[in-house]
């Protein structure tokens, strides 16, 4: 791992089976963390911290001048473990909700998180994070991938970012 990361504070969080390395955007040089080589080194499960991706959480707006949840309090910059940026990761957004509260960027009863896929409203209810994603579009059934045994059909949907959805007889 890059020696320039020595002493950099981070947190590791798990959400719905994915794990992420979080950095407080107020305390790190985001430019130094976002090169694909550095991200791959951090996410390496063999000689890095090990993760599915990294998140840089940055404050934006002035929460003292707005009502809770009315404006965006934090920006999520998410990168996959291969170093590519992604517009959105649902599980990383769930974790970001908790981390924004931990870092004092937002309140548990409601916040806005800015992502390249758009603004996500989130909150913590009964101790668990919740996010409000945009409605999923109607699936397209024009996918040039052959079905395998047990798969009934597949389609493409957008839920913030594109997903391939496969209907199976038994998941």
């Amino acid at each position: 791992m890059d020696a320039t990361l020595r002493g950099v504070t981070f947190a590791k969080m798990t959400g719905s089976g994915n794990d992420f390395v979080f950095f407080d955007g107020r305390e790190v040089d985001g430019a130094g963390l976002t090169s694909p080589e550095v991200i791959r080194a951090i996410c390496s499960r063999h000689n890095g911290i090990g993760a599915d991706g990294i998140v840089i959480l940055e404050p934006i707006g002035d929460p003292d001048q707005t009502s809770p949840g009315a404006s965006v309090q934090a920006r999520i910059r998410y990168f996959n473990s291969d170093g590519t940026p992604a517009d959105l990761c649902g599980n990383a957004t769930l974790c970001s909700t908790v981390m924004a509260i931990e870092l004092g960027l937002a309140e548990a009863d409601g916040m806005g998180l800015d992502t390249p896929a758009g603004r996500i409203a989130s909150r913590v209810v009964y101790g668990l994070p919740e996010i409000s994603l945009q409605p999923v579009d109607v699936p397209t059934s024009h996918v040039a991938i052959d079905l395998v045994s047990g798969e009934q059909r597949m389609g493409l949907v957008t839920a913030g970012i594109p997903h391939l959805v496969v209907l199976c007889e038994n998941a």
Side-chain angles (χ1 to χ4, degrees):
M1 186 160 339
D2 191 326
T4 61
L5 294 177
R6 281 201 169 92
V8 173
T9 301
F10 69 90
K12 187 166 180 187
M13 299 183 78
T14 300
S16 301
N18 295 125
D19 57 341
F20 310 99
V21 177
F22 274 81
F23 296 96
D24 183 342
R26 299 171 295 186
E27 297 185 9
V28 298
D29 172 18
L33 286 174
T34 57
S35 79
E37 297 78 24
V38 171
I39 292 169
R40 284 193 297 267
I42 291 169
C43 293
S44 171
R45 297 200 184 275
H46 300 289
N47 14 348
I49 297 165
D52 293 313
I54 72 162
V55 178
I56 302 172
L57 201 56
E58 303 168 327
I60 53 178
D62 185 357
D64 293 332
Q65 296 181 6
T66 61
S67 59
S71 70
V72 175
Q73 285 91 12
R75 175 181 297 115
I76 299 170
R77 294 176 59 202
Y78 175 74
F79 298 85
N80 292 305
S81 61
D82 66 359
T84 57
D87 289 346
L88 180 68
C89 172
N91 291 338
T93 304
L94 287 166
C95 291
S96 294
T97 299
V98 174
M99 185 56 67
I101 297 164
E102 293 278 327
L103 295 175
L105 300 176
E107 300 294 325
D109 61 347
M111 68 188 77
L113 297 171
D114 191 25
T115 75
R119 183 169 296 165
I120 306 293
S122 68
R123 68 220 136 266
V124 173
V125 178
Y126 301 115
L128 297 173
E130 292 182 353
I131 58 176
S132 298
L133 296 173
Q134 297 298 320
V136 175
D137 62 0
V138 177
T140 63
S141 58
H142 305 291
V143 180
I145 301 172
D146 294 330
L147 297 174
V148 298
S149 177
E151 295 177 345
Q152 296 174 342
R153 67 177 183 264
M154 66 177 69
L156 295 173
V157 299
T158 299
I161 58 171
H163 285 76
L164 176 67
V165 178
V166 180
L167 178 63
C168 300
E169 293 171 10
N170 183 354

